Amino acid sequence: MGDSIDTLADRLAAALGEAQVMTAPDRLAFYAHDVFTRGAEALCIVRPLDIAGVQTAARLCAQAGVAMVPRGGGASYSDGYVSDRPHVLFDMGALQSIEIDADNAHVRVGAGVTWATLKAKLDPLGLRTPFWGPFSGIVATIGGSMSQNTISHGSGAHGISAQSLIGMEVVLADGTLMNTGISNATRHYGPDLTGLFTGDCGAFGLKVAITLPLIAARPAFDTASFSFADFASYHRSVSQLAREGLDDSHFSIDQALSQGQIARSEGTAARLNIARNVMRAAPNPLSGVVQLAKMALAGEGEMREARYSCHVIVEGVDKADVNARLNRIRAIMTAEGQEIANSAAAFVRSMPFAPLYNVLGPRGERWVPLHGIFTHKAANRFHSDFIALLETRRAEMERLGVWTGTMFSSIGGHGLLYEIAIYWPDTLTPYHREILGADYLAGIPAYPESPEARAAAHQLKADLIDLMQRHGSAHFQIGRAYPYLDRLDPAARALVRATKAALDPQNLMNPGVLGL
């Protein structure tokens, strides 16, 4: 096998073409990093141009007994494509086909298409997918989102990414191409084979094409924002909001993140960009001017001072529909909170896919988020224990410059996603330097390497995951960061292991994710 591994990159280049295989040291170093950490460098990176190329590369890797690790947009922070095992990394970003079938209300896309690219194609047709991308959709790919599971745009009305899906085409470990769907008329024809591959982090196969449903884009919209004095009042309010399903999407942040986001957005160029996007998103020029005037008059002070703020985006068939929804939302949210300037909600509606500046903190700190999805009672208990844990670490965190902020979103009416962002001062990685670019980095502070602060951030992340587990949390983007297999009951665990063995008998598909 050793000779086979040693010559694998050459054989891949001969089969695919040298342009589709990367071995340069700078490319290997970049692809070894995700947002948070670093793994072993791949033997090579393959970037196939079509599905046949993915199949060919998979067959050659299987013959050599070499692991295959898929990468989408690269915005993972849960070790989804960071591996310490010898492997070939599959960059799926060149699979860029988009086939829109408006009459039959579906679209087939290559796994490397980003949510922002798909939105730009569908907007002129007055169409959208029900879920239409995470905030990182400027780089996040549709294949990656289906592998990881994610929420954001459209989740209030339509749920997570896995719920906006008809079928997938997947290359298995031996190079076989499998279509999980039988009919584009419905995903549910017998057992849900498509669902098997959602959230698998690439453990069962390489996603190469995805078919999504299409719906009409609603022409009317408005936004609103609310502040709350404490987590309990916020949580009760947003739980009721989610149960009634009135919004297209919403997101909530604590004071630390709201102040950080405002600090990040200050500056003439940033404000002009916000203004341009508000005008573009407005249904007509007059309503755009009115929105900008409201934002200017309201200012950002209320959001800066809010302990917890919730930002709601509402869509409807006409203005009356939107107003009716907003009136009910205001009644729910102002029972324990107060309405504040809607600058943040309006900004997200106008620029849903912002550049990835948030991969660093507002003062250039390193950043990693983690999250748990809790039942409502468990969310309250976890929040109390999280605050207590931070208190025990306060002195050390202040000494090292480590700090946290939190973000929240409902998962339907029955759960709450509680996301914690950890920040610490540290040197940047090749990932940050390439993604953000020299011009942006020149305008923010630079830090020397800080092994002690980095170790504290790693330990805090691990301890918080343990705390989440004690409160029964579930997770998206499982990768190698969150426990999965051990959480299953014995019968379910046996079924998952048997499925893995049937699809990938050599355990070559992203080994280690999901605990497999």
Side-chain angles (χ1 to χ4, degrees):
M1 187 183 293
D3 291 342
S4 184
I5 291 177
D6 292 341
T7 61
L8 180 57
D10 291 337
R11 284 182 286 119
L12 286 166
L16 300 178
E18 292 185 1
Q20 297 178 55
V21 180
M22 292 176 271
T23 57
D26 66 323
R27 295 295 80 202
L28 297 179
F30 170 71
Y31 280 96
H33 290 83
D34 68 2
V35 174
F36 177 46
T37 191
R38 185 188 192 282
E41 291 185 358
L43 300 173
C44 63
I45 295 98
V46 295
R47 187 178 166 89
L49 299 179
D50 54 29
I51 293 175
V54 177
Q55 293 181 268
T56 297
R59 290 190 192 102
L60 289 172
C61 288
Q63 290 166 10
V66 172
M68 294 165 263
V69 176
R71 183 184 188 275
S76 170
Y77 40 75
S78 57
D79 306 343
Y81 63 85
V82 173
S83 175
D84 289 329
R85 176 171 170 172
H87 65 282
V88 170
L89 191 143
F90 280 65
D91 179 345
M92 311 303 280
L95 302 180
Q96 288 288 314
S97 63
I98 300 178
E99 302 166 22
I100 301 169
D101 186 340
D103 291 336
N104 289 309
H106 64 257
V107 57
R108 178 182 178 271
V109 300
V113 173
T114 66
W115 292 99
T117 298
L118 180 59
K119 184 177 188 301
K121 291 287 188 181
L122 294 176
D123 278 351
L125 305 177
L127 297 171
R128 55 172 276 196
T129 54
F131 170 86
W132 50 278
F135 294 142
S136 58
I138 197 168
V139 299
T141 64
I142 296 169
S145 293
M146 296 307 165
S147 284
Q148 296 276 61
N149 285 337
T150 189
I151 63 169
S152 286
H153 299 301
S155 288
H158 302 285
I160 71 170
S161 54
Q163 293 169 269
S164 290
L165 180 60
I166 296 174
M168 291 192 223
E169 293 154 62
V170 183
V171 172
L172 303 180
D174 64 356
T176 299
L177 179 65
M178 183 180 76
N179 193 329
T180 68
I182 297 176
S183 169
N184 285 335
T186 178
R187 167 172 161 180
H188 302 286
Y189 187 154
D192 184 11
L193 299 181
T194 297
L196 183 66
F197 291 86
T198 63
D200 74 332
C201 301
F204 293 152
L206 302 166
K207 296 168 186 64
V208 291
I210 297 97
T211 300
L212 307 167
L214 293 175
I215 60 175
R218 289 179 171 170
F221 74 91
D222 206 342
T223 62
S225 295
F226 306 89
S227 70
F228 298 88
D230 53 39
F231 177 79
S233 60
Y234 153 73
H235 184 206
R236 284 190 294 269
S237 302
V238 81
S239 299
Q240 182 63 35
L241 171 67
R243 279 192 290 272
E244 298 200 18
L246 298 164
D247 62 302
D248 188 68
S249 59
H250 69 264
F251 62 98
S252 309
I253 52 181
D254 69 0
Q255 190 174 50
L257 285 192
S258 66
Q259 290 177 343
Q261 287 184 348
I262 290 171
R264 172 74 58 80
S265 67
E266 285 176 348
T268 301
R271 293 178 186 279
L272 286 174
N273 200 31
I274 292 171
R276 280 196 297 269
N277 283 282
V278 168
M279 292 299 295
R280 287 173 186 157
N284 57 68
L286 179 58
S287 64
V289 171
V290 170
Q291 176 61 54
L292 288 173
K294 287 179 180 177
M295 292 167 66
L297 288 171
E300 295 161 338
E302 292 171 312
M303 183 174 161
R304 286 179 184 272
E305 298 304 318
R307 292 283 306 279
Y308 296 90
S309 58
C310 181
H311 310 280
V312 181
I313 299 169
V314 180
E315 297 186 351
V317 296
D318 55 27
K319 192 65 176 175
D321 182 18
V322 170
N323 286 342
R325 292 170 180 267
L326 269 180
N327 287 341
R328 177 57 186 156
I329 289 170
R330 288 187 171 106
I332 294 169
M333 304 300 273
T334 58
E336 295 192 70
Q338 64 175 355
E339 189 164 3
I340 60 174
N342 66 342
S343 302
F347 169 67
V348 170
R349 180 59 174 75
S350 66
M351 187 184 286
F353 306 125
L356 291 189
Y357 298 144
N358 68 342
V359 298
L360 295 178
R363 295 177 294 277
E365 307 97 326
R366 290 281 301 278
W367 165 85
V368 63
L370 64 150
H371 71 274
I373 304 162
F374 300 93
T375 63
H376 289 298
K377 287 184 178 180
N380 291 328
R381 294 193 294 266
F382 171 78
H383 176 75
S384 297
D385 286 352
F386 168 55
I387 298 302
L389 174 62
L390 288 185
E391 191 58 36
T392 67
R393 306 284 177 91
R394 183 176 304 280
E396 179 190 38
M397 290 172 65
E398 289 180 352
R399 179 176 67 84
L400 297 173
V402 179
W403 61 282
T404 64
T406 50
M407 182 173 179
F408 317 92
S409 185
S410 297
I411 304 296
H414 49 274
L416 183 78
L417 184 141
Y418 194 120
E419 183 171 298
I420 302 167
I422 302 173
Y423 301 89
W424 74 99
D426 201 355
T427 190
L428 303 184
T429 72
Y431 177 91
H432 299 104
R433 297 188 186 282
E434 180 161 329
I435 291 295
L436 296 173
D439 289 344
Y440 177 79
L441 294 176
I444 62 174
Y447 299 96
E449 188 168 359
S450 181
E452 190 178 7
R454 188 185 315 144
H458 277 258
Q459 188 61 55
L460 180 58
K461 179 185 177 185
D463 292 344
L464 287 172
I465 291 174
D466 287 343
L467 181 62
M468 289 174 175
Q469 291 298 297
R470 291 201 295 273
H471 288 277
S473 65
H475 305 277
F476 298 147
Q477 304 175 35
I478 296 168
R480 296 169 177 83
Y482 299 108
Y484 169 72
L485 200 65
D486 292 343
R487 289 281 302 277
L488 301 176
D489 68 39
R493 191 180 310 129
L495 177 60
V496 171
R497 288 190 183 280
T499 302
K500 174 70 168 174
L503 296 173
D504 180 18
Q506 298 185 77
N507 193 24
L508 297 179
M509 280 295 170
N510 211 3
V513 294
L514 306 186
L516 292 166

